[in-house]
Amino acid sequence: MGFWSNWGRGAQQFDSGDAAGVVELTRRRPTISLTKQGAAGGNLRVNLSWRMRTSDFGGRRGWDQSLLRHPLRMFKPEMVQAQGPAMVNVDLDLACMYELQDGSKGVVQPLGDFYGSLNAAPYVQLSGDDRFGSGSGETVFINLDHKDDIKRLLVFVYIYDGTPAFDRTHALVTLYPSNGPRVEISLDERAPEARSCAVVMIENVKGEMVVRREVKYVYGFQAELDRLYGWGLQWGRGYKKTKV
């Protein structure tokens, strides 16, 4: 598991305003311009949420009648059937590689507690680390009031530990601009051995902020995504702090 270290800490909660309607980025419609819809300012909120594909393994198909007797079960993290009898949790992490106009590069991610900063470079901040796929998921905030300082941002998702299970989750990355419809990117392609996925690129193209769907799965972690997109960072092995 890779991490990059050179950046600050500390996560805060922010909100980016309401967004009406929804636009889904697909292979046939992969891009949208935030500038053209008047959303190239304020805070862009990027959220990751996921749940298990219960139809992929036995039991709990459709409505579970036992929830009537034990309603609190619906808040229990779903388990995924690994190869063989073992049961594993899926821990998806949301992260963002950044490149600024001055040449600065780095990553904002839970691994290593590199939560970034919203009001100072890199103008990207992670709200926290959700290890169980709760309703709120994980969120990255991007301060587009500093769009002129941003060259490109690669939002990606990786499985921190355990069995690769992208093909057993319903993962959704949603962008909430300061104006206009929210933008959704579904990670619904089957990639049973993949551990990371480049989801969306946010790029400053001659002053226009363009969002482009990527959805490219790789078998490795951050270093492999780095090579794929030519970021040029130095990566080492990292671990999350154990929560008690």
Side-chain angles (χ1 to χ4, degrees):
M1 172 61 60
F3 75 98
W4 176 89
S5 66
N6 189 26
W7 207 234
R9 304 169 177 247
Q12 303 179 35
Q13 293 291 339
F14 300 90
D15 203 350
S16 58
D18 296 327
V22 58
V23 172
E24 183 179 2
L25 296 187
T26 64
R27 287 184 176 182
R28 300 183 67 177
R29 185 184 180 181
T31 64
I32 188 172
S33 170
L34 297 179
T35 301
K36 290 180 180 178
Q37 69 178 42
N43 292 332
L44 173 64
R45 180 160 56 101
V46 183
N47 177 259
L48 165 69
S49 59
W50 72 93
R51 61 186 176 86
M52 299 303 102
R53 294 182 187 270
T54 56
S55 61
D56 286 352
F57 46 90
R60 299 190 71 172
R61 294 175 183 267
W63 175 255
D64 190 342
Q65 295 294 328
S66 67
L67 292 179
L68 296 176
R69 299 187 299 273
H70 306 286
L72 293 180
R73 284 183 56 193
M74 70 175 61
F75 300 104
K76 183 179 179 180
E78 186 70 83
M79 304 297 287
V80 181
Q81 180 69 54
Q83 293 182 356
M87 301 293 285
V88 296
N89 271 321
V90 174
D91 181 11
L92 299 184
D93 281 342
L94 180 67
C96 179
M97 290 187 203
Y98 63 83
E99 181 178 2
L100 303 183
Q101 296 288 3
D102 65 2
S104 301
K105 298 179 182 180
V107 67
V108 172
Q109 64 179 18
L111 188 63
D113 294 336
F114 301 119
Y115 288 102
S117 176
L118 196 65
N119 296 310
Y123 313 108
V124 178
Q125 185 163 359
L126 179 67
S127 66
D129 179 16
D130 171 22
R131 301 193 182 187
F132 299 107
S134 68
S136 60
E138 295 187 2
T139 301
V140 164
F141 294 90
I142 301 168
N143 187 347
L144 292 181
D145 288 338
H146 289 272
K147 61 183 179 296
D148 292 338
D149 298 304
I150 296 171
K151 182 176 181 180
R152 59 175 179 161
L153 306 171
L154 178 66
V155 176
F156 64 98
V157 174
Y158 61 91
I159 298 173
Y160 169 68
D161 201 3
T163 302
F166 270 115
D167 64 331
R168 302 179 192 183
T169 63
H170 289 289
L172 179 70
V173 172
T174 306
L175 281 63
Y176 296 88
S178 59
N179 184 59
R182 68 183 186 271
V183 180
E184 293 184 349
I185 304 99
S186 298
L187 307 187
D188 53 6
E189 298 177 16
R190 296 303 177 97
E193 299 299 323
R195 288 190 174 274
S196 304
C197 179
V199 180
V200 64
M201 181 77 77
I202 303 168
E203 198 166 11
N204 188 330
V205 182
K206 297 181 179 179
E208 180 180 0
M209 298 305 295
V210 177
V211 175
R212 184 177 72 248
R213 176 188 184 273
E214 298 291 329
V215 190
K216 295 181 180 178
Y217 295 91
V218 299
Y219 297 110
F221 292 103
Q222 294 92 325
E224 189 168 344
L225 289 174
D226 185 313
R227 288 191 293 270
L228 183 62
Y229 287 90
W231 231 266
L233 301 177
Q234 297 295 319
W235 298 90
R237 190 166 182 82
Y239 303 89
K240 288 186 182 181
K241 295 179 180 178
T242 301
K243 290 189 175 183
V244 295

